[in-house]
Amino acid sequence: MANKHSQPSFQKLVDQYVSDMKNYGHLKPGTIKNYNTWLIAIDKWNNGDSVKWIEKALKAKNIIKDIEKSFNKLNSSKPVGKSETDYLSSYKSFAKWLIGYYHANIWLSLDTQTDLNFCRLIAENALFCSYDVAQEVKKGTMGGENNEGNIYYSWYNCRYQRKKNGQTKGTTVIGSNVIYDDNTMAQVAIKNAVKLSLPHLKCVDFKDYMACHIWDKTCYDSRFHTSVFNLVLVPKAIAGLTDFNDAVKEMLQYESARRFGVYPEGTNKPKEPKNFKRIAVWRQQNEHDKAHFSSRKFKELK
């Protein structure tokens, strides 16, 4: 495991967890303070070394059972006013999230060489929409429900956005004609765009690939949920890197901005990552090279 100096503080982890759960709609606003208090209690119980039980859980044959055993020890020091069932539920939820966080951000990203290897792995396997097809989507000559075109390159003309917890797929956002989606319409958008971009793959169903949004949380914005510049197809076996590895995310954002010349409103203008020039092979090498020679300026889409 990475040394202590490479680990985020426990408070930072708790803040990130609470933020993620809040954004995904899993925490009600009135309970956020309680979760923060409860999770900090875990740190005190572990004498300020809160990753020990995570290591034990990862080594265990049955992670949840190991978590329950740890909970039984912790239960005696619980704050007043919360039932044991709620405590155990909170404990399990945080455990699953934290195990995933560490697995992706700490245990896998041990050094810059590891990050570079992951970036190369994604670059060699990911599939983007081509620049030419993206321009047709923008004009409205390609795409579903997109006859007029839109500046956001949205395959479905800004008709869909990702649902959060408590929202139902297929229902309409109040006061608009936007429809809640899971990831289905984003999947359809990028798969169709890739088939048009690479005709030799038009008969491939891409069932072993996953549509990944390049910019975090933009799936909750109808302008960008099905934007072909904001989506990339990645083999399912390695798709998690696009969510949890910062180096991979920075690489994809910069590469997308190079290829299409745009990036979403509210996000930072992509900067060239430190090891970007060391990524020697791209699956769509021609598109990568064309972006280099075009010297496009990056424009924020407002």
Side-chain angles (χ1 to χ4, degrees):
M1 188 170 179
N3 59 49
K4 273 193 172 186
H5 296 295
S6 66
Q7 298 170 7
S9 69
F10 190 71
Q11 179 64 63
K12 184 176 180 181
L13 287 171
V14 169
D15 291 343
Q16 184 62 52
Y17 168 76
V18 170
S19 175
D20 284 356
M21 294 302 101
K22 180 181 176 183
N23 288 333
Y24 291 132
H26 297 318
L27 289 184
K28 295 179 181 178
T31 64
I32 291 173
K33 185 177 180 180
N34 291 337
Y35 270 80
N36 188 73
T37 301
W38 167 234
L39 296 173
I40 292 301
I42 293 176
D43 190 40
K44 292 179 180 178
W45 174 69
N46 280 303
N47 297 317
D49 194 3
S50 303
V51 297
K52 282 185 176 179
W53 66 270
I54 304 172
E55 292 178 297
K56 291 179 181 178
L58 284 169
K59 293 175 183 177
K61 291 183 179 179
N62 190 320
I63 291 176
I64 295 302
K65 282 189 176 181
D66 196 73
I67 289 172
E68 289 174 349
K69 288 179 182 178
S70 298
F71 169 79
N72 290 333
K73 295 179 182 178
L74 180 61
N75 195 37
S76 60
S77 63
K78 66 183 181 184
V80 178
K82 199 170 176 66
S83 71
E84 289 188 14
T85 302
D86 287 342
Y87 272 121
L88 183 53
S89 177
S90 303
Y91 194 42
K92 287 181 181 180
S93 175
F94 181 67
K96 292 175 183 178
W97 177 88
L98 194 54
I99 287 168
Y101 183 98
Y102 265 79
H103 221 34
N105 288 306
I106 305 295
W107 291 25
L108 295 182
S109 300
L110 299 178
D111 51 45
T112 55
Q113 183 58 45
T114 304
D115 280 343
L116 177 58
N117 290 339
F118 288 150
C119 287
R120 286 172 171 167
L121 182 64
I122 294 294
E124 290 171 7
N125 290 279
L127 288 166
F128 290 83
C129 171
S130 70
Y131 177 80
D132 291 339
V133 167
Q135 295 305 308
E136 295 302 317
V137 173
K138 182 181 177 183
K139 290 189 293 185
T141 55
M142 288 184 181
E145 300 179 25
N146 185 16
N147 299 320
E148 298 177 358
N150 56 84
I151 64 169
Y152 303 109
Y153 300 77
S154 174
W155 186 267
Y156 286 107
N157 201 15
C158 310
R159 282 272 286 155
Y160 296 92
Q161 72 180 48
R162 184 72 173 265
K163 71 180 185 69
K164 295 183 180 180
N165 191 45
Q167 297 167 340
T168 304
K169 176 185 175 182
T171 59
T172 303
V173 178
I174 296 174
S176 73
N177 64 347
V178 175
I179 300 170
Y180 286 122
D181 179 41
D182 43 20
N183 212 41
T184 301
M185 305 313 289
Q187 294 267 16
V188 173
I190 188 60
K191 287 179 180 180
N192 282 328
V194 166
K195 289 179 181 181
L196 289 169
S197 301
L198 302 168
H200 65 285
L201 297 179
K202 65 181 179 180
C203 294
V204 178
D205 60 12
F206 295 110
K207 65 180 180 179
D208 294 324
Y209 283 72
M210 182 177 293
C212 301
H213 287 88
I214 294 174
W215 277 270
D216 290 341
K217 298 181 176 63
T218 50
C219 57
Y220 300 109
D221 188 325
S222 61
R223 294 174 298 172
F224 305 117
H225 181 50
T226 63
S227 295
V228 293
F229 77 87
N230 187 33
L231 290 164
V232 62
L233 272 184
V234 179
K236 290 180 180 179
I238 57 175
L241 291 171
T242 67
D243 286 324
F244 296 109
N245 186 276
D246 289 339
V248 168
K249 289 194 285 187
E250 290 171 3
M251 174 198 72
L252 288 173
Q253 289 166 11
Y254 185 70
E255 178 66 12
S256 175
R258 287 176 73 255
R259 293 191 184 208
F260 304 106
V262 294
Y263 62 98
E265 180 184 21
T267 62
N268 294 325
K269 181 179 179 180
K271 296 180 181 179
E272 181 175 324
K274 182 178 180 181
N275 290 316
F276 188 77
K277 289 185 172 65
R278 296 175 64 189
I279 302 169
V281 178
W282 290 80
R283 185 165 181 179
Q284 294 164 293
Q285 191 66 50
N286 289 340
E287 287 290 321
H288 175 79
D289 292 341
K290 276 196 271 184
H292 172 71
F293 291 115
S294 69
S295 300
R296 298 188 186 98
K297 294 182 178 179
F298 302 170
K299 176 185 178 182
E300 182 182 23
L301 291 182
K302 296 182 178 181

